[in-house]
Amino acid sequence: MAGVLLVTAAMVTAASFAQSVPVPKPAPKGRDGGGPAVTGATQTPPNPVIPDPRRNVPTSIFQTFDANQKAQAAKVSAYLSSLSTLVGNFVQVGPDGSKTQGDFYIQKPGKVRFEYDAPSPIDIVADGSSLVVRDRKLATQDVYPLSQTPLRFLLSDRIDLMKDTNVVNVSADDVFVSVTIEEKQALVGTSRLLLMFGAKDGQLKQWTVTDPQGYDTTIAVYNLDAGKKLDPAMFKIDFTNYGPSPG
């Protein structure tokens, strides 16, 4: 499996489906059949901003950040903590430049579902404690502890970037507020999560996961709706019809 979101960073190593981006589709529909109440016209897929692979993120501790950086981090923390659900579409760019897209559903704390558009057979589901990368075509899935994936930073009920994470950089310009989180794991190595928010509207725009080998996977999100009621069954992990991956 390739390009599979890499939201699981070093925990999920997958190869990428080389495929063209499907025709843009409307924002996802909930299980009740109604579409999300998105303000304004349905957006077309954005072009993800791909970080410079030669970038060098400075190692830092939060106490050395200036007042403006701390204020930006506090604003991002308040926004993420205010979300209980989030529904939208995504465009993913894998390390090899291939693009895929689909729909995502978040219900905090700890639950998420990513559904990739055809021809990709991949779903990613987290139920609050575990995360699975599922291949519908092969009827297999890989299971990982949610606590060991960067995705937990987006799925926590209450988020305080000044206290709860290894923030190594905060920056802002006219377009984005960017927060970089670094994690070091003895057996795996160092991975990074770069979160980017709109400087004007404060909404989540995209994130980039850098695995310990230095490979980036970027996810840009759009058509966001934070008021959708979601069916809890969407986040149930199916261990009956999907077995572990062979080998």
Side-chain angles (χ1 to χ4, degrees), residues 12-244:
V12 175
T13 353
S16 189
F17 289 100
Q19 62 188 54
S20 59
V21 179
V23 176
K25 58 188 289 187
K29 294 182 178 181
R31 290 297 187 265
D32 60 4
V38 179
T39 303
T42 299
Q43 300 171 341
T44 56
N47 289 317
V49 178
I50 307 302
D52 183 348
R54 298 164 298 180
R55 69 192 184 282
N56 183 22
V57 179
T59 301
S60 179
I61 56 175
F62 209 96
Q63 285 76 3
T64 65
F65 289 179
D66 62 32
N68 181 58
Q69 289 174 306
K70 291 182 179 181
Q72 295 287 0
K75 190 181 300 183
V76 168
S77 297
Y79 162 71
L80 292 176
S81 296
S82 72
L83 298 174
S84 57
T85 62
L86 191 64
V87 173
N89 307 120
F90 70 87
V91 177
Q92 171 182 305
V93 180
D96 62 354
S98 61
K99 287 186 178 181
T100 50
Q101 70 179 42
D103 309 328
F104 76 92
Y105 310 82
I106 289 175
Q107 181 174 292
K108 294 165 57 179
K111 297 180 177 67
V112 71
R113 183 183 185 95
F114 284 87
E115 298 178 349
Y116 286 77
D117 289 347
S120 171
I122 298 300
D123 289 336
I124 295 178
V125 181
D127 65 358
S129 59
S130 298
L131 181 144
V132 299
V133 179
R134 174 184 299 161
D135 187 317
R136 298 187 306 274
K137 184 176 181 181
L138 299 177
T140 60
Q141 60 188 2
D142 295 308
V143 184
Y144 306 91
L146 181 61
S147 61
Q148 296 183 21
T149 75
L151 198 57
R152 71 182 188 278
F153 293 116
L154 290 175
L155 301 180
S156 298
D157 197 17
R158 302 296 300 175
I159 296 170
D160 187 343
L161 292 172
M162 298 180 69
K163 295 180 180 178
D164 300 338
T165 62
N166 299 317
V167 175
V168 296
N169 194 39
V170 179
S171 62
D173 55 28
D174 293 339
V175 182
F176 295 112
V177 174
S178 302
V179 178
T180 303
I181 298 166
E182 184 177 86
E183 277 206 301
K184 297 179 180 180
Q185 297 184 12
L187 298 178
V188 180
T190 300
S191 58
R192 289 194 179 106
L193 174 65
L194 171 62
L195 299 168
M196 298 176 68
F197 305 83
K200 292 183 172 60
D201 63 12
Q203 289 197 351
L204 179 65
K205 300 300 182 184
Q206 68 171 57
W207 64 84
T208 297
V209 172
T210 306
D211 71 13
Q213 286 71 48
Y215 293 108
D216 289 337
T217 297
T218 296
I219 311 293
V221 295
Y222 63 108
N223 288 336
L224 301 182
D225 174 30
K228 185 71 177 176
K229 186 176 181 181
L230 300 177
D231 183 352
M234 296 178 66
F235 309 104
K236 183 177 180 180
I237 295 178
D238 183 355
F239 291 103
T240 302
N241 297 316
Y242 294 90

